[in-house]
Amino acid sequence: MRCDKCRHEIGPEQKRCPNCGAVNKFALQHKKNMRKFKEKYASTENEVKEYGRSVEGLGKRAAILAALLVGSIVLIIAAAIVDADPDEEAAVKRDSEKNAAAYAEEADGYLERGEYVEYVSFLYAHELMNFPPEEFDRFRSVHYVAGYYYECIKRMEIMILRSDDPEYYDGLDTDIRNFCMYVDTFYETFEAQKNSEKNEKYLGYIMDMEAELRAAMRTYLSISEEEMQEFIDSSRGLKAVRVWEVLRHE
Amino acid sequence: MNKAVKVILNILIVIASIGFFFSVILLISVIGGKNKEKEDPAETFAGVMDYEIRHRAYGEVMEDYYVRRLSHMDAPAGYEDLYRIGEYGHTAFMIRVYEEKGDTEKASALRQKTEELRGELGSYEFTADEMDEMIRNAP
């Protein structure tokens, strides 16, 4: 900047021109401005410091809270994972769907050997009895009949091998009631399926199961072949009375 | 304003701390429960089966065998004796059925199988004799 009077070069801090001695007006104004600036600076600095003091610790608190929440969630998830039991049934179903063709072949083997009880046990053990995949469509008729054949044979074994200890309660009446119910259901299913099954091989299995059930009833319930149809056609109550009399030697 | 936020955060921290404490307790109890020696169901079952056998309640043994086989074709650990006795009972039962049916081939195959099963019964061999007697004398 230059002196207003002599145009001599002059600094902003110099109060007078070093050449002509004229007063430097700008220097006075500059001094005033600097004072105001310093005051404003000090005030702003105070405000900033005051604000800093007021928010001091907020971030720390928020961080602690976030850490506690994340920690709790992690612990709860960990506890749930540790506590979870593997779903065995779902695993069996997945396995059966994956190996349906092989299992269908294995099931055929049981039928060919005439192991009908084994056949049903096999299907149940692989969750194929209640949820058969499409590879098992061909067994549909056998499936129904075999299920009730299995129940009849099982009930007869339970009744025949019941405890002969008079002190032991063996629930014979319940077993008889269940057996009679399954005989009825077997014959209802058998009649329906033997007429609908077109495959000779599977029809043979159905007929064979019926023949075995008749043989079992002749052997263990003393029902002669002449009495058999009458027994099958009789009511569930009459069947139960007959079975009860035989098993109790009355 | 900021003071109020601080107070709210302090309250939330206390609540979260309590939650964290309970989460730790939960995890410890779950791990403790998993590691705790659980009662072996096979061992409990063996006691039940022995009681049934003492009373010659082979019907109940057969029912246990059939129920177990709904989920396992082969004997799970601890249930081997049940499977052997159950299989023997079923095989012995079916021999008379096949004989009555006139299927001598199957009957003789099963007779041979019962002999093999009898050999595997070990200390439970007497159960084969008792079941044979019940089957023979039925009805």
Side-chain angles (χ1 to χ4, degrees), chain A residues 54 56 61 68 72 82 118 124-125 157 161 163-165 168 208 212 218-220 222 249, chain B residues 2 6 10 17 20 34 55-56 58-60 62 66 69-70 90 93 96 98 100-101 135 139:
Chain A
S54 75
E56 191 183 19
R61 282 176 174 79
L68 284 170
S72 301
V82 171
E118 299 291 313
Y124 272 123
E157 287 177 10
L161 292 169
S163 175
D164 49 10
D165 180 351
Y168 191 90
D208 196 36
E212 278 185 16
R218 284 198 304 271
T219 309
Y220 291 108
S222 300
H249 307 287
Chain B
N2 286 327
K6 272 186 197 173
N10 285 345
S17 302
F20 185 79
K34 281 270 167 187
H55 289 274
R56 290 166 56 104
Y58 291 105
E60 307 230 344
M62 291 307 292
Y66 276 109
R69 290 243 301 180
L70 293 181
H90 172 64
F93 177 91
R96 280 191 68 188
Y98 289 130
E100 173 65 28
K101 195 181 157 203
I135 287 169

mmCIF file of all heavy atoms in Angstrom, chain A residues 54 56 61 68 72 82 118 124-125 157 161 163-165 168 208 212 218-220 222 249, chain B residues 2 6 10 17 20 34 55-56 58-60 62 66 69-70 90 93 96 98 100-101 135 139:
data_model
loop_
_atom_site.group_PDB
_atom_site.id
_atom_site.type_symbol
_atom_site.label_atom_id
_atom_site.label_comp_id
_atom_site.label_asym_id
_atom_site.label_seq_id
_atom_site.Cartn_x
_atom_site.Cartn_y
_atom_site.Cartn_z
ATOM 1 N N SER A 54 -20.067 -29.587 27.104
ATOM 2 C CA SER A 54 -21.452 -30.101 27.255
ATOM 3 C C SER A 54 -21.635 -31.477 26.593
ATOM 4 O O SER A 54 -22.416 -32.300 27.042
ATOM 5 C CB SER A 54 -22.457 -29.096 26.700
ATOM 6 O OG SER A 54 -22.438 -29.128 25.299
ATOM 7 N N GLU A 56 -19.170 -33.617 26.101
ATOM 8 C CA GLU A 56 -18.104 -34.520 26.533
ATOM 9 C C GLU A 56 -18.707 -35.788 27.165
ATOM 10 O O GLU A 56 -19.587 -35.689 28.030
ATOM 11 C CB GLU A 56 -17.222 -33.802 27.553
ATOM 12 C CG GLU A 56 -15.947 -34.552 27.845
ATOM 13 C CD GLU A 56 -15.128 -33.839 28.917
ATOM 14 O OE1 GLU A 56 -15.699 -33.008 29.651
ATOM 15 O OE2 GLU A 56 -13.940 -34.139 29.020
ATOM 16 N N ARG A 61 -20.522 -42.794 25.982
ATOM 17 C CA ARG A 61 -21.727 -43.490 26.464
ATOM 18 C C ARG A 61 -22.395 -44.277 25.333
ATOM 19 O O ARG A 61 -22.813 -45.421 25.502
ATOM 20 C CB ARG A 61 -22.724 -42.486 27.045
ATOM 21 C CG ARG A 61 -22.363 -42.020 28.435
ATOM 22 C CD ARG A 61 -23.359 -40.955 28.887
ATOM 23 N NE ARG A 61 -23.149 -40.577 30.258
ATOM 24 C CZ ARG A 61 -22.207 -39.740 30.668
ATOM 25 N NH1 ARG A 61 -21.382 -39.196 29.798
ATOM 26 N NH2 ARG A 61 -22.079 -39.457 31.948
ATOM 27 N N LEU A 68 -22.685 -52.982 24.570
ATOM 28 C CA LEU A 68 -23.509 -53.850 25.436
ATOM 29 C C LEU A 68 -24.622 -54.530 24.633
ATOM 30 O O LEU A 68 -24.883 -55.723 24.803
ATOM 31 C CB LEU A 68 -24.116 -53.034 26.577
ATOM 32 C CG LEU A 68 -23.158 -52.675 27.710
ATOM 33 C CD1 LEU A 68 -23.801 -51.672 28.646
ATOM 34 C CD2 LEU A 68 -22.739 -53.919 28.474
ATOM 35 N N SER A 72 -24.867 -58.468 24.008
ATOM 36 C CA SER A 72 -26.041 -59.241 24.456
ATOM 37 C C SER A 72 -26.612 -60.062 23.310
ATOM 38 O O SER A 72 -26.943 -61.239 23.477
ATOM 39 C CB SER A 72 -27.130 -58.309 24.978
ATOM 40 O OG SER A 72 -26.630 -57.555 26.029
ATOM 41 N N VAL A 82 -26.007 -73.127 20.786
ATOM 42 C CA VAL A 82 -25.549 -74.214 21.669
ATOM 43 C C VAL A 82 -26.729 -75.096 22.086
ATOM 44 O O VAL A 82 -26.633 -76.317 22.143
ATOM 45 C CB VAL A 82 -24.842 -73.629 22.923
ATOM 46 C CG1 VAL A 82 -24.550 -74.715 23.942
ATOM 47 C CG2 VAL A 82 -23.546 -72.942 22.515
ATOM 48 N N GLU A 118 -40.972 -106.568 8.060
ATOM 49 C CA GLU A 118 -39.699 -105.867 7.831
ATOM 50 C C GLU A 118 -39.899 -104.715 6.843
ATOM 51 O O GLU A 118 -39.336 -103.635 7.005
ATOM 52 C CB GLU A 118 -38.651 -106.826 7.242
ATOM 53 C CG GLU A 118 -38.316 -107.988 8.136
ATOM 54 C CD GLU A 118 -37.567 -107.540 9.372
ATOM 55 O OE1 GLU A 118 -36.624 -106.771 9.231
ATOM 56 O OE2 GLU A 118 -37.965 -107.952 10.474
ATOM 57 N N TYR A 124 -41.129 -97.151 7.779
ATOM 58 C CA TYR A 124 -41.274 -96.222 8.901
ATOM 59 C C TYR A 124 -39.910 -95.628 9.284
ATOM 60 O O TYR A 124 -39.787 -94.434 9.517
ATOM 61 C CB TYR A 124 -41.863 -96.936 10.126
ATOM 62 C CG TYR A 124 -43.380 -96.933 10.162
ATOM 63 C CD1 TYR A 124 -44.099 -98.119 10.226
ATOM 64 C CD2 TYR A 124 -44.092 -95.743 10.161
ATOM 65 C CE1 TYR A 124 -45.488 -98.124 10.268
ATOM 66 C CE2 TYR A 124 -45.479 -95.728 10.219
ATOM 67 C CZ TYR A 124 -46.171 -96.924 10.268
ATOM 68 O OH TYR A 124 -47.536 -96.908 10.315
ATOM 69 N N ALA A 125 -38.907 -96.485 9.352
ATOM 70 C CA ALA A 125 -37.581 -96.030 9.800
ATOM 71 C C ALA A 125 -37.008 -94.968 8.866
ATOM 72 O O ALA A 125 -36.215 -94.134 9.296
ATOM 73 C CB ALA A 125 -36.630 -97.212 9.906
ATOM 74 N N GLU A 157 -48.663 -110.803 18.310
ATOM 75 C CA GLU A 157 -47.432 -111.167 19.039
ATOM 76 C C GLU A 157 -47.482 -110.620 20.464
ATOM 77 O O GLU A 157 -47.115 -111.310 21.417
ATOM 78 C CB GLU A 157 -46.204 -110.605 18.306
ATOM 79 C CG GLU A 157 -45.890 -111.362 17.030
ATOM 80 C CD GLU A 157 -44.720 -110.780 16.256
ATOM 81 O OE1 GLU A 157 -44.009 -109.908 16.772
ATOM 82 O OE2 GLU A 157 -44.524 -111.227 15.099
ATOM 83 N N LEU A 161 -47.531 -113.186 23.591
ATOM 84 C CA LEU A 161 -46.365 -113.174 24.477
ATOM 85 C C LEU A 161 -46.601 -112.302 25.724
ATOM 86 O O LEU A 161 -45.656 -111.851 26.356
ATOM 87 C CB LEU A 161 -45.137 -112.668 23.708
ATOM 88 C CG LEU A 161 -44.632 -113.605 22.609
ATOM 89 C CD1 LEU A 161 -43.602 -112.911 21.738
ATOM 90 C CD2 LEU A 161 -44.041 -114.881 23.197
ATOM 91 N N SER A 163 -47.606 -111.218 29.584
ATOM 92 C CA SER A 163 -47.166 -111.803 30.849
ATOM 93 C C SER A 163 -48.205 -112.791 31.395
ATOM 94 O O SER A 163 -49.409 -112.527 31.334
ATOM 95 C CB SER A 163 -46.963 -110.682 31.868
ATOM 96 O OG SER A 163 -46.663 -111.229 33.114
ATOM 97 N N ASP A 164 -47.715 -113.927 31.904
ATOM 98 C CA ASP A 164 -48.633 -114.874 32.545
ATOM 99 C C ASP A 164 -48.565 -114.729 34.067
ATOM 100 O O ASP A 164 -49.072 -115.559 34.800
ATOM 101 C CB ASP A 164 -48.330 -116.316 32.102
ATOM 102 C CG ASP A 164 -46.846 -116.645 32.212
ATOM 103 O OD1 ASP A 164 -46.101 -115.823 32.806
ATOM 104 O OD2 ASP A 164 -46.435 -117.700 31.701
ATOM 105 N N ASP A 165 -47.922 -113.645 34.499
ATOM 106 C CA ASP A 165 -47.841 -113.358 35.927
ATOM 107 C C ASP A 165 -49.115 -112.612 36.338
ATOM 108 O O ASP A 165 -49.376 -111.507 35.859
ATOM 109 C CB ASP A 165 -46.606 -112.476 36.173
ATOM 110 C CG ASP A 165 -46.418 -112.112 37.633
ATOM 111 O OD1 ASP A 165 -47.334 -112.396 38.435
ATOM 112 O OD2 ASP A 165 -45.367 -111.532 37.963
ATOM 113 N N TYR A 168 -48.964 -109.000 37.264
ATOM 114 C CA TYR A 168 -48.496 -108.012 36.285
ATOM 115 C C TYR A 168 -49.652 -107.563 35.400
ATOM 116 O O TYR A 168 -50.291 -108.400 34.753
ATOM 117 C CB TYR A 168 -47.376 -108.634 35.424
ATOM 118 C CG TYR A 168 -46.660 -107.626 34.563
ATOM 119 C CD1 TYR A 168 -45.528 -106.960 35.035
ATOM 120 C CD2 TYR A 168 -47.118 -107.318 33.279
ATOM 121 C CE1 TYR A 168 -44.878 -106.021 34.267
ATOM 122 C CE2 TYR A 168 -46.474 -106.371 32.501
ATOM 123 C CZ TYR A 168 -45.358 -105.732 32.997
ATOM 124 O OH TYR A 168 -44.713 -104.802 32.222
ATOM 125 N N ASP A 208 -51.007 -112.689 -0.416
ATOM 126 C CA ASP A 208 -50.134 -113.447 0.489
ATOM 127 C C ASP A 208 -50.259 -112.931 1.928
ATOM 128 O O ASP A 208 -50.292 -113.718 2.877
ATOM 129 C CB ASP A 208 -48.687 -113.322 -0.007
ATOM 130 C CG ASP A 208 -47.802 -114.369 0.622
ATOM 131 O OD1 ASP A 208 -48.278 -115.502 0.845
ATOM 132 O OD2 ASP A 208 -46.626 -114.063 0.925
ATOM 133 N N GLU A 212 -51.450 -115.074 5.160
ATOM 134 C CA GLU A 212 -50.636 -115.184 6.388
ATOM 135 C C GLU A 212 -51.433 -114.749 7.617
ATOM 136 O O GLU A 212 -51.316 -115.357 8.682
ATOM 137 C CB GLU A 212 -49.368 -114.323 6.260
ATOM 138 C CG GLU A 212 -48.296 -115.052 5.487
ATOM 139 C CD GLU A 212 -46.977 -114.307 5.423
ATOM 140 O OE1 GLU A 212 -46.760 -113.364 6.210
ATOM 141 O OE2 GLU A 212 -46.169 -114.691 4.569
ATOM 142 N N ARG A 218 -55.762 -118.642 12.599
ATOM 143 C CA ARG A 218 -56.084 -120.068 12.810
ATOM 144 C C ARG A 218 -55.174 -120.644 13.885
ATOM 145 O O ARG A 218 -55.609 -121.364 14.776
ATOM 146 C CB ARG A 218 -55.878 -120.852 11.502
ATOM 147 C CG ARG A 218 -56.965 -120.661 10.474
ATOM 148 C CD ARG A 218 -56.928 -121.772 9.421
ATOM 149 N NE ARG A 218 -55.651 -121.909 8.743
ATOM 150 C CZ ARG A 218 -55.313 -121.240 7.626
ATOM 151 N NH1 ARG A 218 -56.159 -120.374 7.088
ATOM 152 N NH2 ARG A 218 -54.149 -121.448 7.054
ATOM 153 N N THR A 219 -53.888 -120.289 13.791
ATOM 154 C CA THR A 219 -52.905 -120.862 14.716
ATOM 155 C C THR A 219 -53.071 -120.348 16.136
ATOM 156 O O THR A 219 -53.112 -121.134 17.088
ATOM 157 C CB THR A 219 -51.474 -120.491 14.235
ATOM 158 O OG1 THR A 219 -51.366 -120.842 12.878
ATOM 159 C CG2 THR A 219 -50.417 -121.203 15.043
ATOM 160 N N TYR A 220 -53.121 -119.040 16.276
ATOM 161 C CA TYR A 220 -53.031 -118.463 17.616
ATOM 162 C C TYR A 220 -54.383 -118.115 18.250
ATOM 163 O O TYR A 220 -54.452 -117.874 19.451
ATOM 164 C CB TYR A 220 -52.139 -117.219 17.589
ATOM 165 C CG TYR A 220 -50.684 -117.571 17.330
ATOM 166 C CD1 TYR A 220 -50.081 -117.281 16.112
ATOM 167 C CD2 TYR A 220 -49.922 -118.222 18.303
ATOM 168 C CE1 TYR A 220 -48.754 -117.608 15.869
ATOM 169 C CE2 TYR A 220 -48.596 -118.564 18.071
ATOM 170 C CZ TYR A 220 -48.019 -118.260 16.847
ATOM 171 O OH TYR A 220 -46.715 -118.600 16.619
ATOM 172 N N SER A 222 -57.252 -120.035 17.352
ATOM 173 C CA SER A 222 -58.093 -121.233 17.195
ATOM 174 C C SER A 222 -59.354 -120.956 16.383
ATOM 175 O O SER A 222 -60.428 -121.457 16.732
ATOM 176 C CB SER A 222 -58.500 -121.803 18.565
ATOM 177 O OG SER A 222 -57.376 -122.139 19.286
ATOM 178 N N HIS A 249 -58.548 -118.945 27.674
ATOM 179 C CA HIS A 249 -58.911 -120.387 27.734
ATOM 180 C C HIS A 249 -60.282 -120.588 28.369
ATOM 181 O O HIS A 249 -60.452 -121.462 29.225
ATOM 182 C CB HIS A 249 -57.836 -121.182 28.512
ATOM 183 C CG HIS A 249 -56.468 -120.966 27.993
ATOM 184 N ND1 HIS A 249 -56.031 -121.493 26.798
ATOM 185 C CD2 HIS A 249 -55.418 -120.246 28.492
ATOM 186 C CE1 HIS A 249 -54.764 -121.128 26.603
ATOM 187 N NE2 HIS A 249 -54.390 -120.361 27.605
ATOM 188 N N ASN B 2 -28.335 -31.579 26.162
ATOM 189 C CA ASN B 2 -27.313 -32.634 26.175
ATOM 190 C C ASN B 2 -27.270 -33.371 27.505
ATOM 191 O O ASN B 2 -26.963 -34.554 27.554
ATOM 192 C CB ASN B 2 -25.948 -32.036 25.868
ATOM 193 C CG ASN B 2 -25.824 -31.692 24.394
ATOM 194 O OD1 ASN B 2 -26.385 -32.378 23.551
ATOM 195 N ND2 ASN B 2 -25.157 -30.606 24.093
ATOM 196 N N LYS B 6 -27.608 -37.328 28.093
ATOM 197 C CA LYS B 6 -26.657 -38.095 28.926
ATOM 198 C C LYS B 6 -27.390 -38.966 29.942
ATOM 199 O O LYS B 6 -27.046 -40.124 30.161
ATOM 200 C CB LYS B 6 -25.725 -37.132 29.665
ATOM 201 C CG LYS B 6 -24.501 -36.755 28.882
ATOM 202 C CD LYS B 6 -23.585 -35.922 29.767
ATOM 203 C CE LYS B 6 -22.584 -35.189 28.924
ATOM 204 N NZ LYS B 6 -21.793 -34.260 29.709
ATOM 205 N N ASN B 10 -27.387 -42.941 30.153
ATOM 206 C CA ASN B 10 -26.971 -43.638 31.383
ATOM 207 C C ASN B 10 -27.998 -44.700 31.769
ATOM 208 O O ASN B 10 -27.649 -45.821 32.146
ATOM 209 C CB ASN B 10 -26.822 -42.639 32.530
ATOM 210 C CG ASN B 10 -25.552 -41.828 32.388
ATOM 211 O OD1 ASN B 10 -24.678 -42.197 31.605
ATOM 212 N ND2 ASN B 10 -25.456 -40.731 33.108
ATOM 213 N N SER B 17 -26.743 -53.229 30.525
ATOM 214 C CA SER B 17 -25.805 -53.990 31.370
ATOM 215 C C SER B 17 -26.523 -55.157 32.038
ATOM 216 O O SER B 17 -25.995 -56.269 32.117
ATOM 217 C CB SER B 17 -25.206 -53.097 32.458
ATOM 218 O OG SER B 17 -24.569 -52.027 31.855
ATOM 219 N N PHE B 20 -27.104 -57.727 29.400
ATOM 220 C CA PHE B 20 -25.854 -58.420 29.086
ATOM 221 C C PHE B 20 -25.525 -59.449 30.169
ATOM 222 O O PHE B 20 -25.145 -60.583 29.871
ATOM 223 C CB PHE B 20 -24.723 -57.387 28.978
ATOM 224 C CG PHE B 20 -23.418 -57.971 28.553
ATOM 225 C CD1 PHE B 20 -23.173 -58.255 27.218
ATOM 226 C CD2 PHE B 20 -22.419 -58.238 29.472
ATOM 227 C CE1 PHE B 20 -21.971 -58.801 26.818
ATOM 228 C CE2 PHE B 20 -21.218 -58.785 29.087
ATOM 229 C CZ PHE B 20 -20.987 -59.070 27.755
ATOM 230 N N LYS B 34 -25.696 -78.551 28.671
ATOM 231 C CA LYS B 34 -25.248 -79.452 27.592
ATOM 232 C C LYS B 34 -24.159 -80.397 28.090
ATOM 233 O O LYS B 34 -24.111 -81.558 27.721
ATOM 234 C CB LYS B 34 -24.690 -78.633 26.420
ATOM 235 C CG LYS B 34 -25.754 -78.045 25.536
ATOM 236 C CD LYS B 34 -26.132 -78.992 24.419
ATOM 237 C CE LYS B 34 -27.408 -78.500 23.766
ATOM 238 N NZ LYS B 34 -27.945 -79.406 22.791
ATOM 239 N N HIS B 55 -40.964 -110.439 34.789
ATOM 240 C CA HIS B 55 -42.399 -110.786 34.874
ATOM 241 C C HIS B 55 -42.877 -111.522 33.624
ATOM 242 O O HIS B 55 -44.079 -111.628 33.414
ATOM 243 C CB HIS B 55 -43.233 -109.515 35.105
ATOM 244 C CG HIS B 55 -43.050 -108.942 36.471
ATOM 245 N ND1 HIS B 55 -43.773 -109.357 37.552
ATOM 246 C CD2 HIS B 55 -42.199 -107.995 36.923
ATOM 247 C CE1 HIS B 55 -43.387 -108.684 38.623
ATOM 248 N NE2 HIS B 55 -42.432 -107.853 38.264
ATOM 249 N N ARG B 56 -41.969 -111.948 32.800
ATOM 250 C CA ARG B 56 -42.267 -112.651 31.537
ATOM 251 C C ARG B 56 -43.246 -111.844 30.665
ATOM 252 O O ARG B 56 -44.060 -112.416 29.939
ATOM 253 C CB ARG B 56 -42.868 -114.046 31.850
ATOM 254 C CG ARG B 56 -41.848 -115.009 32.436
ATOM 255 C CD ARG B 56 -42.474 -116.242 33.058
ATOM 256 N NE ARG B 56 -43.328 -116.999 32.155
ATOM 257 C CZ ARG B 56 -42.997 -118.141 31.576
ATOM 258 N NH1 ARG B 56 -41.797 -118.653 31.780
ATOM 259 N NH2 ARG B 56 -43.855 -118.781 30.806
ATOM 260 N N TYR B 58 -43.289 -110.515 27.817
ATOM 261 C CA TYR B 58 -42.616 -110.409 26.515
ATOM 262 C C TYR B 58 -43.453 -109.621 25.506
ATOM 263 O O TYR B 58 -42.912 -109.088 24.540
ATOM 264 C CB TYR B 58 -42.267 -111.801 25.981
ATOM 265 C CG TYR B 58 -41.192 -112.444 26.816
ATOM 266 C CD1 TYR B 58 -41.487 -113.468 27.713
ATOM 267 C CD2 TYR B 58 -39.880 -111.995 26.747
ATOM 268 C CE1 TYR B 58 -40.508 -114.019 28.514
ATOM 269 C CE2 TYR B 58 -38.885 -112.541 27.548
ATOM 270 C CZ TYR B 58 -39.213 -113.556 28.421
ATOM 271 O OH TYR B 58 -38.241 -114.086 29.219
ATOM 272 N N GLY B 59 -44.758 -109.561 25.749
ATOM 273 C CA GLY B 59 -45.605 -108.733 24.880
ATOM 274 C C GLY B 59 -45.150 -107.281 24.928
ATOM 275 O O GLY B 59 -45.057 -106.608 23.901
ATOM 276 N N GLU B 60 -44.828 -106.824 26.121
ATOM 277 C CA GLU B 60 -44.385 -105.437 26.275
ATOM 278 C C GLU B 60 -43.001 -105.248 25.674
ATOM 279 O O GLU B 60 -42.690 -104.203 25.101
ATOM 280 C CB GLU B 60 -44.385 -105.047 27.752
ATOM 281 C CG GLU B 60 -45.728 -105.330 28.391
ATOM 282 C CD GLU B 60 -46.301 -104.170 29.168
ATOM 283 O OE1 GLU B 60 -45.561 -103.237 29.477
ATOM 284 O OE2 GLU B 60 -47.506 -104.221 29.454
ATOM 285 N N MET B 62 -41.939 -106.910 23.140
ATOM 286 C CA MET B 62 -42.178 -106.864 21.689
ATOM 287 C C MET B 62 -42.672 -105.475 21.267
ATOM 288 O O MET B 62 -42.260 -104.963 20.232
ATOM 289 C CB MET B 62 -43.239 -107.900 21.279
ATOM 290 C CG MET B 62 -42.795 -109.344 21.389
ATOM 291 S SD MET B 62 -41.263 -109.713 20.524
ATOM 292 C CE MET B 62 -41.748 -109.512 18.820
ATOM 293 N N TYR B 66 -40.966 -103.026 18.555
ATOM 294 C CA TYR B 66 -41.637 -102.468 17.373
ATOM 295 C C TYR B 66 -41.600 -100.936 17.372
ATOM 296 O O TYR B 66 -41.396 -100.313 16.333
ATOM 297 C CB TYR B 66 -43.086 -102.960 17.294
ATOM 298 C CG TYR B 66 -43.197 -104.320 16.645
ATOM 299 C CD1 TYR B 66 -43.526 -105.446 17.390
ATOM 300 C CD2 TYR B 66 -42.958 -104.476 15.290
ATOM 301 C CE1 TYR B 66 -43.618 -106.694 16.798
ATOM 302 C CE2 TYR B 66 -43.051 -105.720 14.685
ATOM 303 C CZ TYR B 66 -43.390 -106.827 15.442
ATOM 304 O OH TYR B 66 -43.459 -108.054 14.838
ATOM 305 N N ARG B 69 -38.202 -99.761 16.419
ATOM 306 C CA ARG B 69 -37.902 -100.001 14.999
ATOM 307 C C ARG B 69 -38.601 -99.009 14.067
ATOM 308 O O ARG B 69 -38.288 -98.951 12.882
ATOM 309 C CB ARG B 69 -38.307 -101.424 14.621
ATOM 310 C CG ARG B 69 -37.399 -102.452 15.255
ATOM 311 C CD ARG B 69 -36.643 -103.245 14.277
ATOM 312 N NE ARG B 69 -37.519 -103.959 13.366
ATOM 313 C CZ ARG B 69 -37.088 -104.744 12.405
ATOM 314 N NH1 ARG B 69 -35.804 -104.910 12.239
ATOM 315 N NH2 ARG B 69 -37.927 -105.367 11.617
ATOM 316 N N LEU B 70 -39.539 -98.239 14.611
ATOM 317 C CA LEU B 70 -40.167 -97.221 13.764
ATOM 318 C C LEU B 70 -39.160 -96.160 13.346
ATOM 319 O O LEU B 70 -39.339 -95.494 12.338
ATOM 320 C CB LEU B 70 -41.331 -96.540 14.496
ATOM 321 C CG LEU B 70 -42.554 -97.393 14.809
ATOM 322 C CD1 LEU B 70 -43.601 -96.569 15.514
ATOM 323 C CD2 LEU B 70 -43.142 -97.998 13.538
ATOM 324 N N HIS B 90 -40.407 -112.417 17.211
ATOM 325 C CA HIS B 90 -41.137 -112.301 15.939
ATOM 326 C C HIS B 90 -40.873 -113.530 15.058
ATOM 327 O O HIS B 90 -41.805 -114.103 14.484
ATOM 328 C CB HIS B 90 -40.712 -111.024 15.216
ATOM 329 C CG HIS B 90 -41.252 -110.916 13.825
ATOM 330 N ND1 HIS B 90 -42.604 -110.822 13.569
ATOM 331 C CD2 HIS B 90 -40.625 -110.925 12.604
ATOM 332 C CE1 HIS B 90 -42.790 -110.759 12.253
ATOM 333 N NE2 HIS B 90 -41.610 -110.829 11.648
ATOM 334 N N PHE B 93 -42.601 -116.576 16.416
ATOM 335 C CA PHE B 93 -44.049 -116.442 16.183
ATOM 336 C C PHE B 93 -44.383 -116.819 14.740
ATOM 337 O O PHE B 93 -45.348 -117.550 14.475
ATOM 338 C CB PHE B 93 -44.469 -114.996 16.470
ATOM 339 C CG PHE B 93 -45.918 -114.698 16.215
ATOM 340 C CD1 PHE B 93 -46.859 -114.837 17.236
ATOM 341 C CD2 PHE B 93 -46.357 -114.256 14.966
ATOM 342 C CE1 PHE B 93 -48.208 -114.551 17.010
ATOM 343 C CE2 PHE B 93 -47.694 -113.973 14.731
ATOM 344 C CZ PHE B 93 -48.624 -114.121 15.756
ATOM 345 N N ARG B 96 -44.722 -120.743 13.313
ATOM 346 C CA ARG B 96 -46.021 -121.461 13.380
ATOM 347 C C ARG B 96 -46.990 -120.968 12.302
ATOM 348 O O ARG B 96 -47.803 -121.730 11.788
ATOM 349 C CB ARG B 96 -46.652 -121.297 14.773
ATOM 350 C CG ARG B 96 -46.046 -122.245 15.799
ATOM 351 C CD ARG B 96 -46.848 -122.264 17.077
ATOM 352 N NE ARG B 96 -48.172 -122.874 16.910
ATOM 353 C CZ ARG B 96 -49.116 -122.869 17.844
ATOM 354 N NH1 ARG B 96 -48.892 -122.287 18.998
ATOM 355 N NH2 ARG B 96 -50.269 -123.452 17.618
ATOM 356 N N TYR B 98 -46.138 -119.849 9.274
ATOM 357 C CA TYR B 98 -45.741 -120.446 7.990
ATOM 358 C C TYR B 98 -46.071 -121.941 7.954
ATOM 359 O O TYR B 98 -46.450 -122.468 6.911
ATOM 360 C CB TYR B 98 -44.250 -120.211 7.724
ATOM 361 C CG TYR B 98 -43.936 -118.760 7.395
ATOM 362 C CD1 TYR B 98 -42.917 -118.076 8.042
ATOM 363 C CD2 TYR B 98 -44.665 -118.077 6.426
ATOM 364 C CE1 TYR B 98 -42.635 -116.760 7.747
ATOM 365 C CE2 TYR B 98 -44.397 -116.743 6.130
ATOM 366 C CZ TYR B 98 -43.381 -116.087 6.793
ATOM 367 O OH TYR B 98 -43.113 -114.776 6.500
ATOM 368 N N GLU B 100 -48.551 -123.373 9.463
ATOM 369 C CA GLU B 100 -50.004 -123.449 9.264
ATOM 370 C C GLU B 100 -50.368 -123.125 7.813
ATOM 371 O O GLU B 100 -51.259 -123.731 7.232
ATOM 372 C CB GLU B 100 -50.692 -122.474 10.236
ATOM 373 C CG GLU B 100 -52.181 -122.314 10.054
ATOM 374 C CD GLU B 100 -52.977 -123.586 10.340
ATOM 375 O OE1 GLU B 100 -52.510 -124.398 11.156
ATOM 376 O OE2 GLU B 100 -54.055 -123.748 9.715
ATOM 377 N N LYS B 101 -49.617 -122.188 7.254
ATOM 378 C CA LYS B 101 -49.875 -121.751 5.872
ATOM 379 C C LYS B 101 -49.409 -122.808 4.877
ATOM 380 O O LYS B 101 -49.827 -122.823 3.721
ATOM 381 C CB LYS B 101 -49.126 -120.432 5.644
ATOM 382 C CG LYS B 101 -49.537 -119.649 4.421
ATOM 383 C CD LYS B 101 -48.659 -118.394 4.347
ATOM 384 C CE LYS B 101 -48.587 -117.877 2.930
ATOM 385 N NZ LYS B 101 -47.406 -117.058 2.703
ATOM 386 N N ILE B 135 -45.252 -119.447 22.942
ATOM 387 C CA ILE B 135 -45.735 -119.592 21.558
ATOM 388 C C ILE B 135 -46.260 -121.012 21.322
ATOM 389 O O ILE B 135 -47.312 -121.207 20.718
ATOM 390 C CB ILE B 135 -44.599 -119.218 20.571
ATOM 391 C CG1 ILE B 135 -44.408 -117.697 20.588
ATOM 392 C CG2 ILE B 135 -44.890 -119.709 19.154
ATOM 393 C CD1 ILE B 135 -43.183 -117.197 19.889
ATOM 394 N N PRO B 139 -52.941 -121.238 21.523
ATOM 395 C CA PRO B 139 -53.693 -120.388 22.452
ATOM 396 C C PRO B 139 -53.916 -121.121 23.783
ATOM 397 O O PRO B 139 -53.978 -122.320 23.806
ATOM 398 C CB PRO B 139 -55.004 -120.162 21.733
ATOM 399 C CG PRO B 139 -55.171 -121.374 20.878
ATOM 400 C CD PRO B 139 -53.800 -121.844 20.511
#
